[in-house]
Amino acid sequence: SVAGIYSYASGIPVIVTSPNDSNAFNIGISRPMANGQTAALPGGPKIADNGAYFNRAAFTRTPQFQFGNVSRELPDVRIPGKKGLNALIEKQIPIRERFRLEFRTEMFNATNSVVFNGPQTSVTSSAFGTIALTQSNTPRVIQFALRLVF
């Protein structure tokens, strides 16, 4: 027997944050201020270590005792998408009339597709607006199973 599951998901929208200096609601993060520029880069994000992922000049830290005016999610910037293939190969070996042996190989992320973490989204970070090429998913995993059915 052979089986497989292929999954694909586009990335979720990026959420940009700023420290909460409004002294309201006792929460730790807030939205930054937008200055009228678009967050998306011309030609799309640069998928390279410490590469510019979105236009960081489009945002500034929220002034003290004010609320930011950026939307909760950026409509034109998304984190990297995810794709992967899980596969199964199984062989059933009859031993006697009532017994059979099942040998199976299961592969998770069989194509060893890399999914990267999203960009740094805090306006106070020195790496704001850049992406570090660190893998967020599990690399290929292969497991074997042997089962006696009676």
Side-chain angles (χ1 to χ4, degrees), residues 41-55:
L41 290 173
K46 183 178 178 187
I47 306 293
D49 205 17
N50 298 319
Y53 199 78
F54 58 84
N55 181 12

Side-chain angles (χ1 to χ4, degrees), residues 11-96:
I12 61 173
V14 170
I15 300 171
V16 179
T17 62
S18 177
N20 183 15
D21 295 328
S22 67
N23 291 341
F25 307 120
N26 197 22
I27 56 174
I29 59 172
S30 180
R31 299 177 187 168
M33 298 296 282
N35 60 15
Q37 297 180 26
T38 180
L41 290 173
K46 183 178 178 187
I47 306 293
D49 205 17
N50 298 319
Y53 199 78
F54 58 84
N55 181 12
R56 56 201 253 172
F59 309 98
T60 58
R61 184 176 176 160
T62 307
Q64 195 169 12
F65 306 115
Q66 293 184 18
F67 293 109
N69 60 0
V70 171
S71 63
R72 188 171 80 88
E73 299 172 339
L74 301 179
D76 51 354
V77 181
R78 295 181 169 266
I79 65 170
K82 301 176 182 180
K83 62 182 176 182
L85 173 68
N86 297 334
L88 163 77
I89 302 171
E90 179 183 70
K91 172 72 176 171
Q92 295 184 4
I93 305 163
I95 298 176
R96 290 202 168 155

